[in-house]
């Protein structure tokens, strides 16, 4: 009897174990799938995200929405950006920032924290050193960082000797090769994102722009404190206007990525300069920067087919297309206008102070 019984017991035992294993396998894989689905849904509860717009990070497992949605119309969704850019956005901490970040009003308080940032290439050296001198005249001790665009050692040798001046050669190795085509201005959003990872209170000033009067920062801070309470205003602020509309310098292909709700508004609205802006590291800034940086990385976004910088303005610089594009500036303006619908929300006119 013993000899008969024991194979039977073993057989039953084996069947039971097999059953348990199979059911564990199905439960865990189902659980895993549901978990993933819920995570995607949860992250984007209010946005109605098309699953085709999702990019997943191989590094962190996080998922992101890579299609821009017009903030004024949630059914108006742009073309998807390439998921290869996830790594760069995570490296720049534009998507995966460590919370909590300060608010703009917390940052627009302490003048001492301001860091001036600019860029130059060899052929812009004259402008750049003039701009630097003008800043130093009024801000002798603030940190000033100059990013070099493949600047040669001959020019690097001539840079200021100043303990609060820092030169950094912009490292393009970690970006697509077209980032080194300087006339597409992709370097600007990328350097802005790099530097604001380190410094929460950046004052960006292009090589062509100089300070003409003292108290630029103080005037700006006072205007914010007096007239611009709350979240109604943009965290990113520009200080110079351009004398033309957004429409005049907008290559329409850009709208495939960033759809806009209103052509009349694009024609009416003044484009503001991206050559001098305040960039506080806040959540709102990073929400804009996500798209600004993605556009710089995507081949056809920052450089729509046929785009070029020389404008052919008609008698009206607002109503008609001048067949030119302002690259980083056109993109930043479109993002801010879509969000705020009014340039005064992201512009403080300091034309008397700067030029
Ligand atoms: C919102 O966007 C959709 C899709 O582009 C469009 O059909 C619709 O007319 C827009 N709604 C408004 C109010 O502009
Ligand atoms: C606030 O706005 C008013 C009205 O536009 C202006 O006259 C005033 O100078 C502003 N205040 C500051 C501190 O800039």
């Amino acid at each position: 009897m013993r000899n008969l019984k024991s194979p039977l017991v073993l057989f039953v035992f084996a069947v039971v174990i097999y059953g348990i294993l199979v059911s564990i396998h199905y439960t865990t894989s189902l659980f895993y799938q549901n978990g993933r689905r819920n995570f995607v849904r949860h992250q984007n509860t209010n946005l109605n995200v098309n699953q085709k717009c999702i990019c997943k990070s191989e590094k962190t497992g996080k998922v992101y929405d890579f299609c821009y949605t017009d903030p004024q119309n949630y059914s108006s969704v742009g073309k998807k950006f390439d998921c290869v850019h996830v790594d760069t956005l995570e490296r720049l901490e534009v998507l995966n920032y460590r919370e909590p970040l300060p608010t703009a009003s917390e940052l627009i308080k302490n003048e001492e924290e301001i860091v001036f940032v600019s860029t130059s290439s060899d052929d812009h050296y004259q402008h750049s050193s003039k701009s630097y001198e003008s800043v130093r005249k009024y801000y002798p001790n603030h940190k000033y960082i100059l990013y070099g665009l493949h600047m040669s050692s001959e020019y690097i040798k001539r840079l200021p000797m100043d303990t609060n001046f820092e030169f950094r050669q912009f490292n393009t190795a970690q970006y697509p090769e077209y980032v080194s085509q300087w006339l597409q201005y992709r370097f600007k959003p990328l350097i802005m994102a790099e530097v604001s990872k380190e410094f929460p209170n950046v004052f960006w000033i292009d090589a062509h722009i100089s300070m003409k009067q003292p108290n630029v920062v103080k005037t700006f801070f006072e205007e914010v404190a007096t007239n611009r309470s709350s979240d109604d205003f943009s965290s990113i602020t520009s200080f110079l206007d351009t004398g033309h509309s957004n429409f005049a310098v907008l290559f329409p292909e850009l709208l495939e990525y960033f759809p806009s709700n209103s052509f009349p508004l694009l024609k009416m609205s003044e484009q503001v300069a991206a050559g001098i802006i305040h960039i506080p590291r806040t959540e709102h800034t990073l929400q804009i920067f996500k798209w600004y940086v993605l556009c710089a990385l995507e081949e056809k976004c920052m450089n729509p087919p046929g785009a070029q910088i020389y404008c052919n303005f008609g008698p009206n610089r607002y109503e008609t297309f001048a067949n030119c594009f302002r690259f980083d500036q056109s993109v930043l303006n479109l993002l801010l206008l879509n969000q705020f619908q009014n340039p005064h929300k992201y512009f403080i006119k300091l034309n008397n102070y700067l030029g």
Side-chain angles (χ1 to χ4, degrees):
M1 277 308 262
R2 246 181 155 231
N3 288 346
L4 261 179
K5 218 177 177 181
S6 89
L8 186 67
V9 168
L10 266 177
F11 177 70
V12 170
F13 188 64
V15 167
V16 168
I17 293 288
Y18 180 73
I20 289 172
L21 284 177
V22 165
S23 70
I24 285 177
H25 171 75
Y26 276 107
T27 328
T28 45
S29 66
L30 261 181
F31 179 79
Y32 179 64
Q33 279 170 19
N34 279 337
R36 258 179 39 183
R37 230 178 280 135
N38 285 338
F39 181 56
V40 171
R41 217 180 289 136
H42 172 74
Q43 277 239 320
N44 304 289
T45 331
N46 303 320
L47 286 175
N48 247 334
V49 174
N50 184 334
Q51 294 300 300
K52 288 185 192 140
C53 288
I54 295 295
C55 289
K56 186 176 180 197
S57 163
E58 299 292 329
K59 281 213 183 88
T60 63
K62 289 189 179 163
V63 292
Y64 304 108
D65 179 6
F66 264 31
C67 302
Y68 176 85
T69 301
D70 178 356
Q72 307 303 322
N73 177 354
Y74 282 2
S75 352
S76 186
V77 176
K79 208 158 120 181
K80 189 189 187 184
F81 287 89
D82 195 323
C83 290
V84 298
H85 307 314
V86 166
D87 278 357
T88 304
L89 264 78
E90 285 193 334
R91 177 172 60 78
L92 294 172
E93 291 173 25
V94 173
L95 297 173
N96 50 327
Y97 42 87
R98 272 167 257 140
E99 291 172 278
L101 293 174
T103 62
S105 50
E106 282 165 338
L107 290 170
I108 301 179
K109 230 178 226 166
N110 191 353
E111 269 196 65
E112 299 314 307
E113 270 186 10
I114 290 275
V115 174
F116 295 100
V117 182
S118 190
T119 53
S120 186
S121 45
D122 286 358
D123 60 354
H124 279 65
Y125 186 83
Q126 300 298 342
H127 293 291
S128 165
S129 66
K130 216 177 112 215
S131 170
Y132 164 81
E133 293 298 336
S134 78
V135 171
R136 272 292 173 254
K137 188 166 167 193
Y138 307 117
Y139 300 95
N141 301 315
H142 279 69
K143 188 167 183 65
Y144 187 112
I145 304 175
L146 181 71
Y147 278 82
L149 305 179
H150 294 171
M151 216 188 220
S152 67
S153 54
E154 188 192 325
Y155 282 90
I156 294 172
K157 270 188 274 177
R158 296 202 221 162
L159 290 171
M161 302 296 246
D162 165 345
T163 46
N164 295 313
F165 172 86
E166 187 186 340
F167 174 75
R168 299 177 174 183
Q169 194 79 281
F170 177 43
N171 181 2
T172 53
Q174 39 205 351
Y175 297 115
E177 45 82 22
Y178 45 76
V179 164
S180 305
Q181 294 181 24
W182 307 133
L183 292 180
Q184 295 175 9
Y185 298 88
R186 298 173 192 271
F187 64 89
K188 273 183 64 177
L190 300 175
I191 294 175
M192 286 174 182
E194 281 188 19
V195 78
S196 57
K197 192 173 137 181
E198 262 174 276
F199 300 100
N201 226 333
V202 168
F203 212 92
W204 180 275
I205 181 162
D206 269 6
H208 284 282
I209 297 175
S210 290
M211 289 191 176
K212 297 191 297 194
Q213 283 196 55
N215 297 327
V216 169
V217 176
K218 186 160 171 255
T219 309
F220 159 48
F221 280 17
E222 275 175 10
E223 169 71 27
V224 171
T226 323
N227 288 333
R228 306 188 151 222
S229 56
S230 86
D231 273 358
D232 291 353
F233 291 89
S234 169
S235 50
I236 300 168
T237 312
S238 162
F239 305 102
L240 284 174
D241 49 19
T242 61
H244 58 72
S245 70
N246 286 300
F247 180 80
V249 298
L250 180 67
F251 260 63
E253 287 86 350
L254 186 62
L255 300 173
E256 291 171 16
Y257 289 99
F258 302 133
S260 163
N261 63 319
S262 168
F263 275 100
L265 185 61
L266 287 167
K267 292 184 178 182
M268 258 162 32
S269 58
E270 176 75 24
Q271 179 156 101
V272 301
I276 176 133
I277 57 176
H278 179 241
I279 311 163
R281 188 177 174 77
T282 71
E283 214 166 330
H284 287 148
T285 297
L286 294 178
Q287 279 159 8
I288 296 286
F289 265 46
K290 171 183 175 183
W291 305 111
Y292 197 30
V293 169
L294 271 175
C295 191
L297 294 170
E298 186 94 358
E299 187 163 19
K300 297 227 162 92
C301 182
M302 192 62 98
N303 186 36
Q308 54 93 30
I309 199 135
Y310 301 101
C311 302
N312 186 7
F313 287 111
N316 186 318
R317 289 174 171 245
Y318 289 78
E319 295 285 331
T320 49
F321 179 44
N323 199 25
C324 59
F325 189 56
R326 287 286 182 257
F327 300 89
D328 60 299
Q329 181 171 288
S330 288
V331 173
L332 183 62
N333 271 267
L334 181 58
L335 293 170
L336 292 172
L337 187 65
N338 276 358
Q339 184 74 44
F340 294 99
Q341 301 285 288
N342 175 357
H344 289 111
K345 303 285 184 180
Y346 48 86
F347 175 56
I348 293 176
K349 190 171 174 143
L350 295 183
N351 289 31
N352 296 333
Y353 290 78
L354 305 158

